[in-house]
Amino acid sequence: MKVLVINAGSSSIKYQLFEMPSKEVIAKGLLERIGEQDSNLSHKHNGSEYKTKKYVPDHTAGMSLILETLVDTDNPTIEDISQIRAVGHRVVHGGEEFTGSCLIDENVIASIEKFADLAPLHNPPNLVGIVAAIENLPGAVQVACFDTAFHASIPKTAYLYALPYEIYEKYRVRRYGFHGTSHNYVARRAAELEGKKFEDINTITCHLGNGCSIAAVKAGKSIDTSMGFTPLEGVVMGTRSGDFDPAILFYLAEKGYSISDLNDMCNKQSGLLGISGSSNDMRNLCDLADSGDERAILAIDIFAYRIRKYVGAYTAALGSVDTIVFTGGIGENNSGLREKICGNLTQIGVEIDEQKNANVIRKEGVINTDSSRIRVYVIPTDEEGVIAEDTYRLAGEKV
Ligand code: ADP
């Protein structure tokens, strides 16, 4: 069965076409700059990359272009789009309603729309992607996979903020957590690598990409995570601040900053970019740090320090830790940062093997010494693969 996985952003659609159940990726691509004159599609299939540049006015037209590309007679990935029997959609916010992936119907669409209030940057484009897929592939089963779902198991002691209780009751202001598909996948995979059942191990998962979050996974369930009501909370990210004293916002508001200035500052001008003043990209910062740039060095040090604090906190939350996992662009590729983060964790039983660590780049592997009590893994994340599996499973129940 061919399953198409869609991740629709505000001006982009990322996609992967899977053969299921083998999980073979038959094609993948990225359509960017939707709505601009020079929208461009990069499509990869059979080891080659095909690029198209043309005006794509909206997501529905974008989906059409992707489907046309899949059946392009010069380079067909599939013979007919009717071979796509199911489409899995990444949806960022499922509120308190969705604790797992589900088939999309009118009620689900209405709920995703309702939660746009909680995730105004993400849910609307996700929904546009769903509508575009339904329009272009009316015969296919549509499935929604939520970033928040894996964190639905977080207990109230960890998800409730110490604000007046009615703020939660009235507005559902609480910790939701994000990157759930990734944390779920890598924690599950760590259990497999340990030769144990998911229910039998405790893991701290560090998803370190442009957005970063840490999760505490106890006996197969997320019990806490660093991102909160929005993806802004937690560790330092590419352009997001992570945790800070909210009174700073009141102080700056009194100095004349508007709500939208502050929102922009915290989400787009802070984090690694804000501290370094030069880049949100860890590769650039590492190059700058190597050349002695003090602000880049500081940004990297703060980034690592704050993650280490979360690892310490989640060790306490879990009671005992069997494995720590690094994933995401930084977690998978940057051995220097992994070493920096774990450097001071010998007290809790983490010892990194320098050589093993240096050798595990963009691949699965173990990076701790033989005497380390906690095993430390690098596990490339596979959010699309998880979405394909969930979609295949749910579609199987329907077709
Ligand atoms: P996103 O959250 O947008 O999916 P990624 O998971 O791709 O982002 O992570 C982006 C981050 O990973 C950037 O800071 C980038 O510098 C870093 N990164 C990606 N590839 C490498 C690499 N080969 N070496 C070091 N850092 C990398």
Side-chain angles (χ1 to χ4, degrees), residues 20 22 43 115 130 132-133 135 173 214 226 273 293 328 359 363:
M20 296 303 286
S22 69
H43 176 78
F115 299 135
I130 291 172
E135 275 177 26
V173 169
I214 319 294
S226 57
L273 174 66
D293 184 305
N359 288 339
K363 61 177 182 184

Side-chain angles (χ1 to χ4, degrees), residues 236-288:
V236 174
M237 307 177 216
T239 60
R240 295 190 197 116
S241 61
D243 302 330
F244 68 93
D245 183 343
I248 294 166
L249 299 177
F250 317 142
Y251 178 79
L252 292 177
E254 283 182 355
K255 299 274 175 217
Y257 285 78
S258 69
I259 290 183
S260 109
D261 293 339
L262 294 170
N263 195 350
D264 192 69
M265 182 184 88
C266 296
N267 280 293
K268 298 192 181 145
Q269 311 295 333
S270 297
L272 294 172
L273 174 66
I275 302 166
S276 69
S278 43
S279 177
N280 64 310
D281 191 299
M282 191 53 92
R283 275 169 293 198
N284 297 341
L285 291 181
C286 289
D287 290 345
L288 286 167

Side-chain angles (χ1 to χ4, degrees), residues 207-211 280-283 328-330 333-334 362:
H207 179 110
L208 310 178
N210 239 323
N280 64 310
D281 191 299
M282 191 53 92
R283 275 169 293 198
I330 297 171
N333 292 295
N334 196 321
R362 203 179 275 283

